[in-house]
Amino acid sequence: DFDEEKFKKKMDLIFIDGGHTYSVVKSDTEKAFEMLSSEGIILWHDYIPGKRSSRDVVRYIDKISKTNNIKLIKNTSICYYKNS
C-alpha cells in the first residue's frame, strides 16, 4: 500500500529487507527503482543462493540482473545496484 509517488527520483539510498516472497520482492524493487535518484543505490538483503527461505529473493534478483547491473557484495548476503 506504500505510495512511492512523493519520493519519485529523490532517494539516494534504498535498503530492501522485507518479505521473501517473489511478489513482495518484485513490488518493493519496482517501487525502489521509481524512487531512486540519478546517483542512488539500492541494496537487497537476503540474497543467499541455496537457502530455501531466500529462494524467491534470489530468483527475482537473478531475473532482473539480466537487464540491470546488480552485484553481490563479497562475503555478504547483500546485492546492490547503482544508478549511473
Side-chain angles (χ1 to χ4, degrees), residues 36-79:
L36 198 61
S37 71
S38 62
E39 303 213 1
I41 296 172
I42 301 172
L43 299 167
W44 291 266
H45 187 245
D46 296 322
Y47 181 86
I48 311 168
K51 185 173 181 183
R52 183 177 170 94
S53 64
S54 297
R55 74 173 168 245
D56 283 347
V57 174
V58 172
R59 188 166 59 107
Y60 184 72
I61 291 174
D62 286 350
K63 177 183 176 186
I64 66 170
S65 291
K66 294 174 183 172
T67 56
N68 296 282
N69 189 17
I70 298 174
K71 299 183 183 209
L72 176 64
I73 299 174
K74 189 176 179 179
N75 298 321
T76 74
S77 63
I78 298 175
C79 291

Side-chain angles (χ1 to χ4, degrees), residues 21 24 30 49 64 74-75 84:
T21 64
V24 170
E30 288 172 352
I64 66 170
K74 189 176 179 179
N75 298 321
S84 35

